[in-house]
């Protein structure tokens, strides 16, 4: 049973896979080699396409521990197979985080639990994967240097740019993420990892983690060409060309080769260009020089590719592009994270808190990049500038390197995307299988017929195989992509860029669109509407601004002036738009102190704010006292606790110059800030006032203040946990910000609603504000009712529960109105709706509780959920998945900020940001509003209908030609080389590439196009056309044979090659038609089938309501009419040169010609 075990890699993660171990089997390899020789290499191709067959035919099962080859299978809906070769590496130790110096004195044995990556005793093999492993020199040098203990063999394999090492303790392969593997606390990171690594430790860790690079290698044109031509489609084309050449169809074979070369060259150019663009995107940080601190307090300059987790790098004062993920342990950095978040607003990163020894363990949390992202510098982000304290360097501990970094994960998702799952493509493959089955019937038919008529074996083989190439047209993939290419070009013309063209078809099926609020539905900036201060537990009347002389000394204004993350970059204030508006409303001035200035004070104050001179009290004071008065109004910001989306607040510790005690200021979500304040300082009507503002769509920020204890000096403040600061505060009041709707928003949402496309808001803003905006923009009609779902997690032995309340009724905290609602009645869309329509709304906390404790309820709630507020980035992604789980085709439109995951996961993600974050989104709009959404859906519908039309036309073209050839085979005849050429080039390709040019319909209609080919109406239209075409061809075939002038063709009579006895030429008399091409049946079926191709093209070229009518597509009309006129002309007025080219021959005189043609045409 041990050999049959299946391991699970990356359990619970997006890339979860099943793993099976195999060993190479020599006798199986020999058998497969013989099979490859016997099949002329086809078996090798088959094994290349089918990794599962490749492994199982050449290997035997074994345990994962002893495996030489691992077979991987994804656990998602695609269930794809992969294989990877297990390699062995010699290393002087088994755990990358162990100290070699320690191991020298007490070497660990392979069986020791502290050596998780050690391998059992196996033959000494060292066939590494990366450059530094392949020759074994770094490992050998380290082994010689530390020769006191036994080298250890490490087993690993590489898959999708990630290395998986065998973990003896867990009996499974696992990847090494970085320093987070150790589960270290913040205090441990400061105490044990802040001094740096020795060179030996760095080289030792590099054996495991490899070079710190996101290597996007641009393949050579030759490699790309080999990979492209090994595609099954091109192999089939190669088979077809060889077959046609053997059958002397040289011209047609040459035309297909020419088309294939053009198609391959275009594909290679596109793929190469994408690789180059991706390579250029990641090349910015690939190799830079960085300073690292060594364990002996030295600073050394090294290449960034040499960095490993645990290195301590010095962040230069003039900034840099981060080459890795690192956590700040000293100093402050101003960072532009637009590469990751799409938000170009500079972010302040502070050093990781170092809890004091006397603090409880609760404050000393385990470090991870998600919870401590405000202290983490991510790879690829741009450090604009640093703030360093006198004489102290800004340092950061390297946490993750290479593809393990945030940017590395993004690049991996682009390099190895999930396949597009769409019913159209599944049905297309099924339809192709049906065509192959039809071809099989013709294959057997032609063999039986040829054997009965004693045809030579060579001819039997060639003509039987030729039936397959006729039934499955080689030009089908190129024809199918034509509509997508044209749609992509039209989208580009209206400012929508696409990096995943296959998704355009999926856009035609979208029936729900999620919108971010700020910057997407509403304007990006906020305007200050007013302030409402609180004193003695009561609200003052609202005021327009705080720019008043009597408020200069108030704690309310001090909070507005200090509680922000603004910084000066090249003399200009920069930071979060909300912070900017709030600070500008005070009229104060911000100055960032230089080193010389901070040296004047015992305490370090990197940033100082002061009010403008004209707002100071205008009292008659001596000059010296006035200067002292000015300095008394300077407030220094001692420490920032940056805004946390999880905590929904930010805080600062500030000190009024000249004062001994410090002050703490907090701003954030009103309900959160109120919860941190003393109850007596929060007005009794707080909830009503807040609800009044939020229902009007205002964004409300609450302010609070606390006077800190005198024992908290500067050094203690630098290490204190924010939980010790943010408690027992005094409520100061509210700031009311106005976020206006974009002008285009209501109209676009109305168009989507009329088209029966659901719209959903998913935002990080407050719930009532989001509901108000949803009503204002028309997402929730005025007559509809909004029900808020409040979910509470299990607490004090009580189970998780959900309470319901109306959003439009007063929600006193102590008197929540309970609403009993039957979800079975309101959540099923297919059932008739009641007169009153309900919309569910919930915040991120409730969403998390419902997802965890009420998963069945969540599926029902998302069917009518319209507003999802206070949603974290990962919750947005979970919402997209939940909506897809109830069979919605989901579009997501966001401005790039915190929406990357959702944009990537949706069927169609549309980024309104042109920053680098848009690389995660299939579509990017230059127009910074949601008007791009209907345009994209319209073009998607047009492209989808075009794909249906083209597929049906190509299928009918194959069947029509199949019928013609099958009928001609019965008399040992076939279509001529130039007849094939004329049909495929002058009719089929010309019609296909012009019928795809129909633009999208001008408006969205309420119904969607069908999602698959296997539907009653589509199959009926195809089958009826097949029967009609079959009927007319059979009538033509037998009608010609009934004519009095008809004579059966034989090589002796060669009836169709004979001209009138008046003008016999030597050429005609000497040329013998060995292939029986020039006969009456061939000519008749050639003309009838030519007209059938044109008729089918017109029938299947669908226009309204998803595309413009075909008569407006002038290239298609011109092509169809021109070909029709040309065929009619050469049929009724034979031209000898054209007839000779097409191998078309007529009866003896013009009168008989008209008889043949008239008889055929009438039928």
């Amino acid at each position: 049973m041990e050999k049959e075990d299946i391991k699970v890699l990356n359990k619970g993660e997006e890339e979860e896979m099943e793993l099976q171990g195999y060993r190479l089997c020599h006798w199986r390899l020999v058998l497969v080699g013989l099979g490859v020789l016997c099949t002329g290499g086809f078996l090798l191709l088959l094994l290349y396409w089918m990794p599962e067959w490749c492994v199982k035919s050449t290997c035997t099962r074994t345990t994962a521990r002893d495996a030489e080859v691992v077979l991987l299978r994804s656990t998602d809906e695609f269930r794809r197979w992969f294989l990877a070769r297990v390699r062995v590496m010699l290393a002087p130790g088994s755990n990358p985080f162990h100290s070699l110096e320690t191991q020298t004195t007490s070497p660990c044995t392979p069986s020791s639990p502290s050596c998780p990556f050690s391998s059992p005793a196996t033959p000494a093999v060292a066939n590494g994967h990366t450059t530094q492993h392949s020759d074994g020199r770094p490992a050998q040098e380290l082994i010689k240097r530390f020769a006191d203990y036994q080298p250890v063999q490490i087993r690993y394999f590489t898959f999708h740019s990630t290395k998986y090492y065998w973990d003896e303790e867990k009996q499974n392969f696992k990847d090494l993420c970085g320093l987070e593997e150790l589960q270290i606390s913040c205090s441990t990171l400061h105490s044990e990892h802040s001094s740096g690594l020795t060179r030996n430790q760095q080289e030792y860790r590099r054996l495991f983690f490899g070079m710190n690079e996101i290597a996007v290698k641009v393949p050579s044109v030759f490699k790309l060409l080999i990979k492209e031509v090994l595609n099954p489609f091109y192999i089939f084309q190669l088979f077809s060309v060889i077959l046609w050449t053997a059958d002397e169809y040289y011209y047609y074979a040459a035309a297909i080769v020419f088309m294939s070369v053009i198609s391959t060259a275009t594909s290679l150019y596109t793929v190469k260009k994408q690789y180059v663009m991706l390579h250029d995107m990641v090349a910015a940080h690939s190799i830079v020089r960085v300073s690292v601190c060594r364990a002996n307090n030295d600073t050394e300059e090294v290449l960034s590719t040499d960095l490993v987790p645990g290195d301590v790098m010095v962040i230069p004062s003039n900034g840099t592009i981060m080459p890795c993920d690192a956590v700040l342990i000293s100093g402050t950095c101003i960072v532009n994270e637009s590469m990751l978040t799409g938000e170009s607003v500079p972010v302040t990163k502070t050093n990781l808190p170092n809890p004091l020894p006397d603090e409880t363990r609760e404050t000393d949390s385990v470090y991870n990049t998600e919870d401590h992202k405000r202290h983490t510098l991510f790879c690829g982000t741009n450090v604009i500038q640093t703030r360093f304290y006198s004489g102290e360097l800004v340092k950061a501990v390297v946490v993750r390197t290479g593809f393990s970094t945030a940017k590395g994960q993004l690049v991996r998702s682009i390099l190895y995307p999930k396949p597009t799952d769409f019913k159209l493509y599944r049905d297309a493959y099924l339809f192709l299988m049906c065509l192959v089955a039809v071809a099989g019937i013709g294959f057997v038919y032609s063999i039986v017929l040829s054997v009965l008529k004693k045809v030579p074996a060579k001819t039997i083989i060639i003509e039987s195989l030729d039936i397959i190439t006729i039934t499955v047209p080689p030009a089908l993939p190129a024809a199918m992509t034509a509509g997508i290419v044209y749609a992509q070009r039209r989208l580009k013309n209206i400012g929508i860029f696409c990096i995943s063209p296959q998704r355009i078809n999926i856009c035609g099926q979208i029936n729900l669109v999620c919108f971010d609020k700020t910057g997407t539905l509403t304007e990006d900036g906020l305007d200050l509407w007013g302030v409402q201060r609180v004193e003695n537990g009561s609200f003052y009347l609202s005021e327009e601004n705080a720019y008043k002389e009597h408020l200069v000394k108030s704690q309310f204004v001090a909070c507005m002036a200090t509680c922000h993350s603004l910084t000066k970059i090249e003399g200009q204030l920069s930071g979060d738009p909300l912070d900017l508006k709030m600070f500008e409303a005070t009229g104060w001035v911000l100055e960032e102190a230089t080193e010389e200035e901070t040296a004047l004070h015992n305490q370090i104050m990197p940033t100082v704010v002061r009010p403008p001179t004209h707002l100071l009290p205008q009292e008659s004071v001596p000059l010296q006292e006035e200067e002292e008065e000015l300095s008394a109004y300077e407030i220094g910001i001692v420490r920032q606790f940056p805004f946390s989306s999880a905590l929904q607040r930010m805080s600062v510790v500030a000190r009024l110059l000249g004062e001994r005690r410090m002050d703490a200021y907090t701003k954030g979500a009103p309900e959160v800030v109120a919860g941190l304040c003393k109850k007596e300082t929060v007005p009794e009507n707080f909830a009503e006032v807040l609800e009044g503002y939020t229902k009007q769509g205002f964004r409300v920020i609450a302010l609070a203040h606390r006077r800190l204890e005198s024992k908290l000096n500067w050094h203690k403040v630098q290490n204190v946990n924010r939980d010790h600061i943010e408690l027992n505060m005094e409520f100061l009041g509210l700031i009311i910000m106005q976020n206006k709707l974009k002008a285009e928003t209501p109209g676009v949402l109305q168009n989507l609603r009329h088209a029966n496309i659901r719209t959903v808001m998913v935002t990080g803003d407050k719930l009532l504000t989001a509901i108000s905006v949803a009503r204002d923009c028309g997402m929730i009609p005025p007559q509809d009712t909004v029900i808020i779902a409040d979910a509470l997690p299990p607490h004090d032995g009580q189970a998780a529960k959900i309470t319901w309340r109306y959003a439009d009724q007063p929600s006193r905290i102590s008197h929540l109105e309970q609403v009993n609602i039957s979800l079975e009645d309101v959540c099923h869309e297919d059932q008739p709706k009641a007169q009153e329509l309900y919309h569910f709304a919930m915040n991120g906390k409730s969403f998390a509780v419902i997802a965890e404790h009420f998963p069945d309820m969540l599926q029902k709630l998302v069917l009518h959920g319209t507003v999802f507020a206070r949603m974290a980035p990962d919750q947005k992604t979970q919402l997209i998945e939940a909506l897809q789980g109830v069979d919605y085709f989901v579009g997501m439109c966001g401005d790039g900020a915190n929406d990357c995951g959702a944009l990537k996961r949706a069927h169609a993600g549309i980024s309104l940001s042109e920053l680098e974050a848009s690389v995660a989104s299939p579509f990017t709009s230059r127009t910074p509003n949601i008007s791009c959404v209907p345009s994209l859906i319209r073009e998607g519908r047009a492209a989808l209908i075009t794909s249906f039309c083209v597929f049906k036309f190509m299928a009918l073209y194959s069947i029509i030609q199949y019928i013609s050839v099958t009928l001609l085979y019965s008399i040992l005849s076939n279509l001529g080389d130039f007849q094939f050429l004329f049909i495929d080039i002058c009719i089929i390709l010309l019609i296909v590439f012009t019928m795809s040019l129909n633009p999208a319909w001008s408006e969205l209609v309420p119904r969607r196009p069908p999602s698959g080919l296997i539907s009653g109406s589509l199959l009926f239209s195809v089958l009826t056309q097949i029967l009609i075409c079959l009927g007319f061809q059979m009538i033509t075939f037998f009608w010609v044979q009934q004519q009095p002038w008809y004579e059966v063709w034989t090589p002796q009579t060669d009836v169709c090659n004979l001209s009138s006895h008046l003008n016999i030429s030597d050429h005609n008399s000497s040329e013998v038609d060995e292939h029986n091409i020039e006969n009456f049946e061939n000519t008749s079926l050639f003309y009838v089938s030519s007209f059938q191709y044109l008729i089918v093209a017109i029938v299947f070229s669908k226009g309204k309501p998803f595309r413009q009518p075909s008569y407006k597509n002038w290239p298609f009309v011109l092509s169809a009419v021109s070909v029709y006129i040309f065929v009619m002309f050469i049929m009724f007025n034979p031209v000898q040169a054209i007839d000779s080219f097409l191998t078309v021959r007529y009866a003896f005189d013009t009168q008989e010609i008209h008889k043949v043609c008239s008889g055929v045409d009438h039928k």
Side-chain angles (χ1 to χ4, degrees), residues 199-270:
R199 288 185 187 176
N200 288 340
Q201 287 174 320
Q202 188 189 54
E203 290 176 18
Y204 172 55
R205 289 189 184 184
R206 203 180 306 131
L207 289 175
F208 292 87
F209 291 102
M211 303 291 283
N212 173 36
E213 59 181 355
I214 302 174
V216 180
K217 295 179 181 177
V218 180
S220 65
V221 174
F222 178 75
K223 283 185 178 179
L224 287 174
L225 178 63
I226 295 299
K227 189 175 180 181
E228 184 76 15
V229 298
L230 289 182
N231 185 294
F233 162 66
Y234 285 111
I235 297 298
F236 177 70
Q237 276 198 333
L238 178 64
F239 163 75
S240 303
V241 168
I242 293 171
L243 184 67
W244 294 329
T245 305
D247 203 17
E248 298 178 4
Y249 292 163
Y250 300 119
Y251 295 102
Y252 185 55
I256 291 297
V257 168
F258 177 75
M259 285 169 51
S260 299
V261 168
I262 296 296
S263 174
T264 305
T266 305
S267 178
L268 287 182
Y269 173 76
T270 305

Side-chain angles (χ1 to χ4, degrees), residues 109-270:
T109 62
S111 58
S112 170
S114 63
C115 303
F117 301 110
S118 58
S119 172
T122 53
V125 181
N127 52 348
H129 180 76
T130 56
T131 309
Q132 70 271 24
H133 291 166
S134 58
D135 55 9
R137 274 176 289 178
Q140 295 296 336
E141 289 176 8
L142 280 172
I143 290 168
K144 289 177 183 177
R145 210 176 298 166
F146 295 90
D148 296 342
Y149 62 96
Q150 183 67 30
V152 180
Q153 292 182 352
I154 310 295
R155 303 177 70 84
Y156 72 96
F157 68 88
T158 305
F159 176 71
H160 283 181
S161 301
T162 302
K163 284 185 181 177
Y164 294 87
Y165 290 88
W166 176 254
D167 188 331
E168 192 69 27
E169 186 178 337
K170 295 184 178 179
Q171 288 293 297
N172 197 359
F173 284 95
K174 61 170 289 188
D175 61 326
L176 285 177
C177 293
L179 212 58
E180 289 174 289
E181 294 278 334
L182 298 177
Q183 294 285 303
I184 51 177
S185 64
C186 296
S187 59
T188 306
L189 202 148
H190 275 279
S191 60
E192 297 180 12
H193 296 271
S194 59
S195 57
L197 304 175
T198 63
R199 288 185 187 176
N200 288 340
Q201 287 174 320
Q202 188 189 54
E203 290 176 18
Y204 172 55
R205 289 189 184 184
R206 203 180 306 131
L207 289 175
F208 292 87
F209 291 102
M211 303 291 283
N212 173 36
E213 59 181 355
I214 302 174
V216 180
K217 295 179 181 177
V218 180
S220 65
V221 174
F222 178 75
K223 283 185 178 179
L224 287 174
L225 178 63
I226 295 299
K227 189 175 180 181
E228 184 76 15
V229 298
L230 289 182
N231 185 294
F233 162 66
Y234 285 111
I235 297 298
F236 177 70
Q237 276 198 333
L238 178 64
F239 163 75
S240 303
V241 168
I242 293 171
L243 184 67
W244 294 329
T245 305
D247 203 17
E248 298 178 4
Y249 292 163
Y250 300 119
Y251 295 102
Y252 185 55
I256 291 297
V257 168
F258 177 75
M259 285 169 51
S260 299
V261 168
I262 296 296
S263 174
T264 305
T266 305
S267 178
L268 287 182
Y269 173 76
T270 305

Side-chain angles (χ1 to χ4, degrees), residues 285-388:
H285 82 282
S286 292
I287 301 179
V288 294
R289 300 199 70 85
V290 295
S291 297
V292 296
C293 298
R294 292 293 178 211
N296 54 6
N297 293 326
D298 286 343
T299 302
E300 180 183 352
E301 199 170 77
V302 297
L303 289 176
S304 59
T305 50
D306 292 335
L307 291 174
V308 295
D311 268 329
V312 176
M313 65 178 291
V314 178
I315 311 297
S317 57
N318 58 345
T320 183
I321 294 179
M322 287 299 296
C324 58
D325 288 355
V327 56
L328 270 174
I329 54 172
S330 66
T332 305
C333 292
I334 311 299
V335 185
N336 186 334
E337 292 188 324
S338 62
M339 193 283 302
L340 291 178
T341 64
E343 194 171 317
S344 58
V345 175
V347 179
T348 301
K349 301 280 186 171
T350 58
N351 60 298
L352 187 73
N354 185 13
L356 300 173
D358 57 342
E359 292 186 3
T360 60
R361 290 188 178 181
E362 294 178 4
T363 61
D364 192 10
S365 58
V366 172
Y367 170 78
N368 68 72
T369 51
E370 184 58 37
D371 293 343
H372 297 92
K373 60 184 176 183
R374 285 294 182 176
H375 315 291
T376 305
L377 305 171
F378 292 102
C379 177
T381 58
N382 185 11
V383 178
I384 301 170
Q385 67 181 39
T386 63
R387 294 178 185 168
F388 55 92

